[in-house]
Amino acid sequence: MDALAVGIDDGYAVTKVALATGQLLAIPSCGRIGGAHVTAVNGSESGITEYASEGQRIAVGVPDGDPTSFDEYPFSSLNRAIVQHALLAAGLSGRSLHAVSGLPVARFYHANGQRRDEVIARKIASLRISVETLDGRPTASIACHDVIPEALAAWYDHVIVEDEAGVHLDEDAVKAPLAIVDIGGRTTDFVVVSDEKIWHDSSGSITCGLLDLRAQIANAISAAYDLDALSDAGVDQALAHGTVRLFGECRDVTALVRDARQQLTLRIEQETRRRLGLGAELERVLFVGGGSVVLADSIRDWFPNQTIAPHPAFANARGMLKYLRYVGTEST
């Protein structure tokens, strides 16, 4: 059976998968080393699957997982199990895959533009290490694996067009100077591309993203209500509704969430201005990543020539798939 093309944006907060059928799927990057310690009752499904890789047991889909915001996460058994969980959720059990995933820009390139070949090779090898389900289901097999810079993947999504004529470049979009601002889970990435050239003085990464926002919200609510900790579900509720249910009552935490948003937004805006200035000579500043959804109201007026990509959380995964379908395994 031929290997199926798939784009895998295995982010620190959310893992996204893009398939050539147009299917897009996202799951929280949430897993725990060890067993799940959860039992479903009354005929319900737990949604948790346990995996094994390199002698480690990993439970994925647990309510509160181990932190993913550490440097070795892209090369870890935790990462592999979460990716496998997403692939199985996409219906790829037993399939052979040709996958493209990514690394933050600063982990793919040195500041002078030189590739970090050792880091890239580690990421390529990691996803090809065996992962097994403990319930006996066949896993997806990654037969081939390419790695590209994450924000550059969104550039591929922007300039590669798929239509009835096939897969081709939008020549006008390729030549135009474009900045990508990718607000992710652990990092915010910047890439400036003009005429198929990356301008490294304006490109790079900062360790700042939605996981910082979640941690700040959790800490603020815990301090305000004298809690030891707040669950991921509690943070989700606070972000979505400005409320959290504590001690059997609904608490208004709108102000705490607003303050946390403002702190994150200010930090990202300062770095964006440092790298892009006014953006006057750019054709467009394109915002992508899950943070562009969560912070949409806060980032909407930074540049007169800015836009948020369609379904921005999936821009990298779509671009990875398009890269594979158009560029193949040529050097980045």
PDB file of all heavy atoms in Angstrom, residues 152-184:
ATOM      1  N   LEU A 152       7.227  28.752   8.483  1.00  0.00           N
ATOM      2  CA  LEU A 152       7.420  28.643   7.036  1.00  0.00           C
ATOM      3  C   LEU A 152       6.371  27.722   6.432  1.00  0.00           C
ATOM      4  O   LEU A 152       5.975  27.891   5.271  1.00  0.00           O
ATOM      5  CB  LEU A 152       8.823  28.148   6.721  1.00  0.00           C
ATOM      6  CG  LEU A 152       9.221  28.150   5.235  1.00  0.00           C
ATOM      7  CD1 LEU A 152       9.212  29.573   4.677  1.00  0.00           C
ATOM      8  CD2 LEU A 152      10.585  27.510   5.042  1.00  0.00           C
ATOM      9  N   ALA A 153       5.906  26.735   7.201  1.00  0.00           N
ATOM     10  CA  ALA A 153       4.828  25.869   6.722  1.00  0.00           C
ATOM     11  C   ALA A 153       3.590  26.698   6.395  1.00  0.00           C
ATOM     12  O   ALA A 153       2.886  26.431   5.408  1.00  0.00           O
ATOM     13  CB  ALA A 153       4.501  24.815   7.776  1.00  0.00           C
ATOM     14  N   ALA A 154       3.317  27.716   7.205  1.00  0.00           N
ATOM     15  CA  ALA A 154       2.167  28.579   6.927  1.00  0.00           C
ATOM     16  C   ALA A 154       2.376  29.395   5.655  1.00  0.00           C
ATOM     17  O   ALA A 154       1.418  29.727   4.954  1.00  0.00           O
ATOM     18  CB  ALA A 154       1.911  29.503   8.112  1.00  0.00           C
ATOM     19  N   TRP A 155       3.649  29.728   5.350  1.00  0.00           N
ATOM     20  CA  TRP A 155       3.940  30.404   4.077  1.00  0.00           C
ATOM     21  C   TRP A 155       3.621  29.476   2.911  1.00  0.00           C
ATOM     22  O   TRP A 155       3.013  29.889   1.919  1.00  0.00           O
ATOM     23  CB  TRP A 155       5.401  30.838   4.033  1.00  0.00           C
ATOM     24  CG  TRP A 155       5.790  31.529   2.759  1.00  0.00           C
ATOM     25  CD1 TRP A 155       5.571  32.842   2.426  1.00  0.00           C
ATOM     26  CD2 TRP A 155       6.473  30.954   1.635  1.00  0.00           C
ATOM     27  NE1 TRP A 155       6.066  33.113   1.169  1.00  0.00           N
ATOM     28  CE2 TRP A 155       6.624  31.970   0.661  1.00  0.00           C
ATOM     29  CE3 TRP A 155       6.963  29.686   1.352  1.00  0.00           C
ATOM     30  CZ2 TRP A 155       7.243  31.753  -0.562  1.00  0.00           C
ATOM     31  CZ3 TRP A 155       7.580  29.459   0.127  1.00  0.00           C
ATOM     32  CH2 TRP A 155       7.723  30.487  -0.819  1.00  0.00           C
ATOM     33  N   TYR A 156       3.998  28.202   3.017  1.00  0.00           N
ATOM     34  CA  TYR A 156       3.638  27.238   1.975  1.00  0.00           C
ATOM     35  C   TYR A 156       2.121  27.154   1.817  1.00  0.00           C
ATOM     36  O   TYR A 156       1.598  27.070   0.701  1.00  0.00           O
ATOM     37  CB  TYR A 156       4.201  25.851   2.307  1.00  0.00           C
ATOM     38  CG  TYR A 156       5.684  25.696   2.063  1.00  0.00           C
ATOM     39  CD1 TYR A 156       6.549  25.408   3.121  1.00  0.00           C
ATOM     40  CD2 TYR A 156       6.228  25.840   0.793  1.00  0.00           C
ATOM     41  CE1 TYR A 156       7.915  25.268   2.916  1.00  0.00           C
ATOM     42  CE2 TYR A 156       7.592  25.708   0.577  1.00  0.00           C
ATOM     43  CZ  TYR A 156       8.430  25.417   1.638  1.00  0.00           C
ATOM     44  OH  TYR A 156       9.771  25.281   1.432  1.00  0.00           O
ATOM     45  N   ASP A 157       1.415  27.172   2.922  1.00  0.00           N
ATOM     46  CA  ASP A 157      -0.043  27.141   2.853  1.00  0.00           C
ATOM     47  C   ASP A 157      -0.577  28.346   2.097  1.00  0.00           C
ATOM     48  O   ASP A 157      -1.571  28.247   1.357  1.00  0.00           O
ATOM     49  CB  ASP A 157      -0.618  27.108   4.276  1.00  0.00           C
ATOM     50  CG  ASP A 157      -2.134  27.035   4.297  1.00  0.00           C
ATOM     51  OD1 ASP A 157      -2.703  26.178   3.591  1.00  0.00           O
ATOM     52  OD2 ASP A 157      -2.752  27.827   5.040  1.00  0.00           O
ATOM     53  N   HIS A 158       0.097  29.478   2.262  1.00  0.00           N
ATOM     54  CA  HIS A 158      -0.355  30.725   1.630  1.00  0.00           C
ATOM     55  C   HIS A 158      -0.058  30.762   0.131  1.00  0.00           C
ATOM     56  O   HIS A 158      -0.879  31.255  -0.647  1.00  0.00           O
ATOM     57  CB  HIS A 158       0.323  31.909   2.329  1.00  0.00           C
ATOM     58  CG  HIS A 158      -0.040  33.247   1.777  1.00  0.00           C
ATOM     59  ND1 HIS A 158      -1.293  33.813   1.924  1.00  0.00           N
ATOM     60  CD2 HIS A 158       0.691  34.154   1.042  1.00  0.00           C
ATOM     61  CE1 HIS A 158      -1.318  34.989   1.336  1.00  0.00           C
ATOM     62  NE2 HIS A 158      -0.138  35.214   0.799  1.00  0.00           N
ATOM     63  N   VAL A 159       1.080  30.225  -0.285  1.00  0.00           N
ATOM     64  CA  VAL A 159       1.508  30.405  -1.681  1.00  0.00           C
ATOM     65  C   VAL A 159       1.237  29.197  -2.571  1.00  0.00           C
ATOM     66  O   VAL A 159       1.292  29.318  -3.798  1.00  0.00           O
ATOM     67  CB  VAL A 159       3.013  30.765  -1.776  1.00  0.00           C
ATOM     68  CG1 VAL A 159       3.314  32.019  -0.975  1.00  0.00           C
ATOM     69  CG2 VAL A 159       3.903  29.603  -1.333  1.00  0.00           C
ATOM     70  N   ILE A 160       0.955  28.030  -1.997  1.00  0.00           N
ATOM     71  CA  ILE A 160       0.670  26.845  -2.806  1.00  0.00           C
ATOM     72  C   ILE A 160      -0.847  26.699  -2.939  1.00  0.00           C
ATOM     73  O   ILE A 160      -1.575  26.690  -1.938  1.00  0.00           O
ATOM     74  CB  ILE A 160       1.281  25.571  -2.195  1.00  0.00           C
ATOM     75  CG1 ILE A 160       2.806  25.683  -2.161  1.00  0.00           C
ATOM     76  CG2 ILE A 160       0.872  24.339  -3.001  1.00  0.00           C
ATOM     77  CD1 ILE A 160       3.496  24.516  -1.470  1.00  0.00           C
ATOM     78  N   VAL A 161      -1.293  26.608  -4.152  1.00  0.00           N
ATOM     79  CA  VAL A 161      -2.723  26.546  -4.461  1.00  0.00           C
ATOM     80  C   VAL A 161      -3.061  25.135  -4.948  1.00  0.00           C
ATOM     81  O   VAL A 161      -2.354  24.572  -5.791  1.00  0.00           O
ATOM     82  CB  VAL A 161      -3.106  27.579  -5.533  1.00  0.00           C
ATOM     83  CG1 VAL A 161      -4.593  27.480  -5.861  1.00  0.00           C
ATOM     84  CG2 VAL A 161      -2.736  28.975  -5.065  1.00  0.00           C
ATOM     85  N   GLU A 162      -4.137  24.589  -4.434  1.00  0.00           N
ATOM     86  CA  GLU A 162      -4.643  23.299  -4.909  1.00  0.00           C
ATOM     87  C   GLU A 162      -6.014  23.529  -5.531  1.00  0.00           C
ATOM     88  O   GLU A 162      -6.935  23.995  -4.860  1.00  0.00           O
ATOM     89  CB  GLU A 162      -4.743  22.301  -3.757  1.00  0.00           C
ATOM     90  CG  GLU A 162      -3.393  21.946  -3.145  1.00  0.00           C
ATOM     91  CD  GLU A 162      -3.508  20.959  -1.999  1.00  0.00           C
ATOM     92  OE1 GLU A 162      -4.208  21.295  -1.022  1.00  0.00           O
ATOM     93  OE2 GLU A 162      -2.909  19.886  -2.087  1.00  0.00           O
ATOM     94  N   ASP A 163      -6.138  23.252  -6.821  1.00  0.00           N
ATOM     95  CA  ASP A 163      -7.410  23.421  -7.510  1.00  0.00           C
ATOM     96  C   ASP A 163      -7.554  22.346  -8.583  1.00  0.00           C
ATOM     97  O   ASP A 163      -6.800  21.357  -8.599  1.00  0.00           O
ATOM     98  CB  ASP A 163      -7.536  24.837  -8.096  1.00  0.00           C
ATOM     99  CG  ASP A 163      -6.382  25.202  -9.027  1.00  0.00           C
ATOM    100  OD1 ASP A 163      -5.763  24.277  -9.612  1.00  0.00           O
ATOM    101  OD2 ASP A 163      -6.092  26.406  -9.182  1.00  0.00           O
ATOM    102  N   GLU A 164      -8.503  22.533  -9.496  1.00  0.00           N
ATOM    103  CA  GLU A 164      -8.754  21.526 -10.521  1.00  0.00           C
ATOM    104  C   GLU A 164      -7.550  21.323 -11.430  1.00  0.00           C
ATOM    105  O   GLU A 164      -7.382  20.248 -12.025  1.00  0.00           O
ATOM    106  CB  GLU A 164      -9.967  21.924 -11.351  1.00  0.00           C
ATOM    107  CG  GLU A 164     -11.274  21.941 -10.553  1.00  0.00           C
ATOM    108  CD  GLU A 164     -12.445  22.384 -11.399  1.00  0.00           C
ATOM    109  OE1 GLU A 164     -12.220  22.747 -12.574  1.00  0.00           O
ATOM    110  OE2 GLU A 164     -13.585  22.349 -10.887  1.00  0.00           O
ATOM    111  N   ALA A 165      -6.688  22.336 -11.529  1.00  0.00           N
ATOM    112  CA  ALA A 165      -5.498  22.231 -12.388  1.00  0.00           C
ATOM    113  C   ALA A 165      -4.362  21.483 -11.697  1.00  0.00           C
ATOM    114  O   ALA A 165      -3.331  21.219 -12.321  1.00  0.00           O
ATOM    115  CB  ALA A 165      -5.035  23.623 -12.810  1.00  0.00           C
ATOM    116  N   GLY A 166      -4.536  21.169 -10.414  1.00  0.00           N
ATOM    117  CA  GLY A 166      -3.491  20.461  -9.680  1.00  0.00           C
ATOM    118  C   GLY A 166      -2.940  21.305  -8.548  1.00  0.00           C
ATOM    119  O   GLY A 166      -3.620  22.189  -8.011  1.00  0.00           O
ATOM    120  N   VAL A 167      -1.700  21.040  -8.199  1.00  0.00           N
ATOM    121  CA  VAL A 167      -1.021  21.761  -7.119  1.00  0.00           C
ATOM    122  C   VAL A 167       0.028  22.671  -7.744  1.00  0.00           C
ATOM    123  O   VAL A 167       0.921  22.211  -8.450  1.00  0.00           O
ATOM    124  CB  VAL A 167      -0.352  20.774  -6.138  1.00  0.00           C
ATOM    125  CG1 VAL A 167       0.270  21.532  -4.969  1.00  0.00           C
ATOM    126  CG2 VAL A 167      -1.353  19.754  -5.630  1.00  0.00           C
ATOM    127  N   HIS A 168      -0.082  23.977  -7.508  1.00  0.00           N
ATOM    128  CA  HIS A 168       0.837  24.914  -8.146  1.00  0.00           C
ATOM    129  C   HIS A 168       1.040  26.141  -7.275  1.00  0.00           C
ATOM    130  O   HIS A 168       0.302  26.384  -6.314  1.00  0.00           O
ATOM    131  CB  HIS A 168       0.304  25.329  -9.527  1.00  0.00           C
ATOM    132  CG  HIS A 168      -1.073  25.944  -9.481  1.00  0.00           C
ATOM    133  ND1 HIS A 168      -1.274  27.289  -9.374  1.00  0.00           N
ATOM    134  CD2 HIS A 168      -2.307  25.377  -9.515  1.00  0.00           C
ATOM    135  CE1 HIS A 168      -2.571  27.545  -9.350  1.00  0.00           C
ATOM    136  NE2 HIS A 168      -3.225  26.401  -9.440  1.00  0.00           N
ATOM    137  N   LEU A 169       2.081  26.906  -7.607  1.00  0.00           N
ATOM    138  CA  LEU A 169       2.400  28.123  -6.870  1.00  0.00           C
ATOM    139  C   LEU A 169       1.586  29.301  -7.386  1.00  0.00           C
ATOM    140  O   LEU A 169       1.348  29.442  -8.587  1.00  0.00           O
ATOM    141  CB  LEU A 169       3.882  28.463  -7.013  1.00  0.00           C
ATOM    142  CG  LEU A 169       4.899  27.583  -6.289  1.00  0.00           C
ATOM    143  CD1 LEU A 169       6.303  28.062  -6.622  1.00  0.00           C
ATOM    144  CD2 LEU A 169       4.682  27.613  -4.790  1.00  0.00           C
ATOM    145  N   ASP A 170       1.178  30.156  -6.461  1.00  0.00           N
ATOM    146  CA  ASP A 170       0.640  31.462  -6.809  1.00  0.00           C
ATOM    147  C   ASP A 170       1.847  32.387  -6.981  1.00  0.00           C
ATOM    148  O   ASP A 170       2.448  32.827  -6.005  1.00  0.00           O
ATOM    149  CB  ASP A 170      -0.272  31.959  -5.681  1.00  0.00           C
ATOM    150  CG  ASP A 170      -0.882  33.327  -5.950  1.00  0.00           C
ATOM    151  OD1 ASP A 170      -0.276  34.119  -6.703  1.00  0.00           O
ATOM    152  OD2 ASP A 170      -1.944  33.620  -5.383  1.00  0.00           O
ATOM    153  N   GLU A 171       2.239  32.663  -8.226  1.00  0.00           N
ATOM    154  CA  GLU A 171       3.483  33.381  -8.503  1.00  0.00           C
ATOM    155  C   GLU A 171       3.499  34.768  -7.886  1.00  0.00           C
ATOM    156  O   GLU A 171       4.543  35.233  -7.405  1.00  0.00           O
ATOM    157  CB  GLU A 171       3.714  33.468 -10.018  1.00  0.00           C
ATOM    158  CG  GLU A 171       3.915  32.116 -10.700  1.00  0.00           C
ATOM    159  CD  GLU A 171       5.169  31.399 -10.223  1.00  0.00           C
ATOM    160  OE1 GLU A 171       6.054  32.064  -9.633  1.00  0.00           O
ATOM    161  OE2 GLU A 171       5.273  30.177 -10.420  1.00  0.00           O
ATOM    162  N   ASP A 172       2.371  35.456  -7.885  1.00  0.00           N
ATOM    163  CA  ASP A 172       2.323  36.790  -7.283  1.00  0.00           C
ATOM    164  C   ASP A 172       2.556  36.721  -5.778  1.00  0.00           C
ATOM    165  O   ASP A 172       3.287  37.541  -5.200  1.00  0.00           O
ATOM    166  CB  ASP A 172       0.971  37.454  -7.563  1.00  0.00           C
ATOM    167  CG  ASP A 172       0.805  37.819  -9.029  1.00  0.00           C
ATOM    168  OD1 ASP A 172       1.830  37.974  -9.725  1.00  0.00           O
ATOM    169  OD2 ASP A 172      -0.352  37.940  -9.478  1.00  0.00           O
ATOM    170  N   ALA A 173       1.953  35.727  -5.129  1.00  0.00           N
ATOM    171  CA  ALA A 173       2.124  35.572  -3.682  1.00  0.00           C
ATOM    172  C   ALA A 173       3.560  35.193  -3.338  1.00  0.00           C
ATOM    173  O   ALA A 173       4.097  35.635  -2.316  1.00  0.00           O
ATOM    174  CB  ALA A 173       1.157  34.516  -3.155  1.00  0.00           C
ATOM    175  N   VAL A 174       4.200  34.394  -4.181  1.00  0.00           N
ATOM    176  CA  VAL A 174       5.579  33.976  -3.934  1.00  0.00           C
ATOM    177  C   VAL A 174       6.530  35.170  -3.949  1.00  0.00           C
ATOM    178  O   VAL A 174       7.434  35.271  -3.111  1.00  0.00           O
ATOM    179  CB  VAL A 174       6.021  32.929  -4.982  1.00  0.00           C
ATOM    180  CG1 VAL A 174       7.521  32.732  -4.961  1.00  0.00           C
ATOM    181  CG2 VAL A 174       5.319  31.609  -4.733  1.00  0.00           C
ATOM    182  N   LYS A 175       6.346  36.095  -4.872  1.00  0.00           N
ATOM    183  CA  LYS A 175       7.256  37.227  -5.016  1.00  0.00           C
ATOM    184  C   LYS A 175       7.037  38.298  -3.958  1.00  0.00           C
ATOM    185  O   LYS A 175       7.967  39.033  -3.602  1.00  0.00           O
ATOM    186  CB  LYS A 175       7.094  37.835  -6.413  1.00  0.00           C
ATOM    187  CG  LYS A 175       7.530  36.903  -7.540  1.00  0.00           C
ATOM    188  CD  LYS A 175       7.260  37.531  -8.890  1.00  0.00           C
ATOM    189  CE  LYS A 175       7.653  36.577 -10.020  1.00  0.00           C
ATOM    190  NZ  LYS A 175       7.352  37.138 -11.361  1.00  0.00           N
ATOM    191  N   ALA A 176       5.825  38.413  -3.451  1.00  0.00           N
ATOM    192  CA  ALA A 176       5.498  39.503  -2.527  1.00  0.00           C
ATOM    193  C   ALA A 176       6.141  39.276  -1.161  1.00  0.00           C
ATOM    194  O   ALA A 176       6.139  38.157  -0.641  1.00  0.00           O
ATOM    195  CB  ALA A 176       3.986  39.607  -2.367  1.00  0.00           C
ATOM    196  N   PRO A 177       6.720  40.324  -0.554  1.00  0.00           N
ATOM    197  CA  PRO A 177       7.281  40.191   0.801  1.00  0.00           C
ATOM    198  C   PRO A 177       6.171  39.963   1.826  1.00  0.00           C
ATOM    199  O   PRO A 177       5.228  40.749   1.919  1.00  0.00           O
ATOM    200  CB  PRO A 177       7.995  41.522   1.028  1.00  0.00           C
ATOM    201  CG  PRO A 177       7.341  42.481   0.074  1.00  0.00           C
ATOM    202  CD  PRO A 177       6.886  41.679  -1.099  1.00  0.00           C
ATOM    203  N   LEU A 178       6.287  38.887   2.561  1.00  0.00           N
ATOM    204  CA  LEU A 178       5.243  38.471   3.500  1.00  0.00           C
ATOM    205  C   LEU A 178       5.862  38.126   4.844  1.00  0.00           C
ATOM    206  O   LEU A 178       6.900  37.463   4.902  1.00  0.00           O
ATOM    207  CB  LEU A 178       4.507  37.245   2.946  1.00  0.00           C
ATOM    208  CG  LEU A 178       3.439  36.616   3.844  1.00  0.00           C
ATOM    209  CD1 LEU A 178       2.183  37.477   3.857  1.00  0.00           C
ATOM    210  CD2 LEU A 178       3.102  35.202   3.380  1.00  0.00           C
ATOM    211  N   ALA A 179       5.231  38.566   5.915  1.00  0.00           N
ATOM    212  CA  ALA A 179       5.648  38.180   7.264  1.00  0.00           C
ATOM    213  C   ALA A 179       4.601  37.253   7.847  1.00  0.00           C
ATOM    214  O   ALA A 179       3.394  37.508   7.752  1.00  0.00           O
ATOM    215  CB  ALA A 179       5.803  39.401   8.157  1.00  0.00           C
ATOM    216  N   ILE A 180       5.062  36.154   8.431  1.00  0.00           N
ATOM    217  CA  ILE A 180       4.192  35.231   9.149  1.00  0.00           C
ATOM    218  C   ILE A 180       4.446  35.401  10.645  1.00  0.00           C
ATOM    219  O   ILE A 180       5.590  35.353  11.095  1.00  0.00           O
ATOM    220  CB  ILE A 180       4.481  33.762   8.768  1.00  0.00           C
ATOM    221  CG1 ILE A 180       4.363  33.542   7.256  1.00  0.00           C
ATOM    222  CG2 ILE A 180       3.575  32.812   9.543  1.00  0.00           C
ATOM    223  CD1 ILE A 180       2.971  33.525   6.726  1.00  0.00           C
ATOM    224  N   VAL A 181       3.381  35.599  11.419  1.00  0.00           N
ATOM    225  CA  VAL A 181       3.461  35.614  12.876  1.00  0.00           C
ATOM    226  C   VAL A 181       2.625  34.432  13.360  1.00  0.00           C
ATOM    227  O   VAL A 181       1.399  34.424  13.215  1.00  0.00           O
ATOM    228  CB  VAL A 181       2.933  36.930  13.471  1.00  0.00           C
ATOM    229  CG1 VAL A 181       3.058  36.908  15.001  1.00  0.00           C
ATOM    230  CG2 VAL A 181       3.678  38.130  12.894  1.00  0.00           C
ATOM    231  N   ASP A 182       3.308  33.436  13.891  1.00  0.00           N
ATOM    232  CA  ASP A 182       2.676  32.181  14.285  1.00  0.00           C
ATOM    233  C   ASP A 182       2.642  32.093  15.808  1.00  0.00           C
ATOM    234  O   ASP A 182       3.646  31.802  16.448  1.00  0.00           O
ATOM    235  CB  ASP A 182       3.470  31.008  13.681  1.00  0.00           C
ATOM    236  CG  ASP A 182       2.953  29.645  14.106  1.00  0.00           C
ATOM    237  OD1 ASP A 182       1.835  29.581  14.665  1.00  0.00           O
ATOM    238  OD2 ASP A 182       3.661  28.650  13.885  1.00  0.00           O
ATOM    239  N   ILE A 183       1.467  32.351  16.381  1.00  0.00           N
ATOM    240  CA  ILE A 183       1.310  32.333  17.836  1.00  0.00           C
ATOM    241  C   ILE A 183       0.855  30.942  18.234  1.00  0.00           C
ATOM    242  O   ILE A 183      -0.297  30.556  18.011  1.00  0.00           O
ATOM    243  CB  ILE A 183       0.301  33.398  18.304  1.00  0.00           C
ATOM    244  CG1 ILE A 183       0.681  34.777  17.757  1.00  0.00           C
ATOM    245  CG2 ILE A 183       0.245  33.430  19.834  1.00  0.00           C
ATOM    246  CD1 ILE A 183      -0.355  35.861  18.046  1.00  0.00           C
ATOM    247  N   GLY A 184       1.772  30.171  18.811  1.00  0.00           N
ATOM    248  CA  GLY A 184       1.491  28.784  19.136  1.00  0.00           C
ATOM    249  C   GLY A 184       1.330  28.542  20.614  1.00  0.00           C
ATOM    250  O   GLY A 184       0.980  29.438  21.389  1.00  0.00           O
TER     251      GLY A 184
END
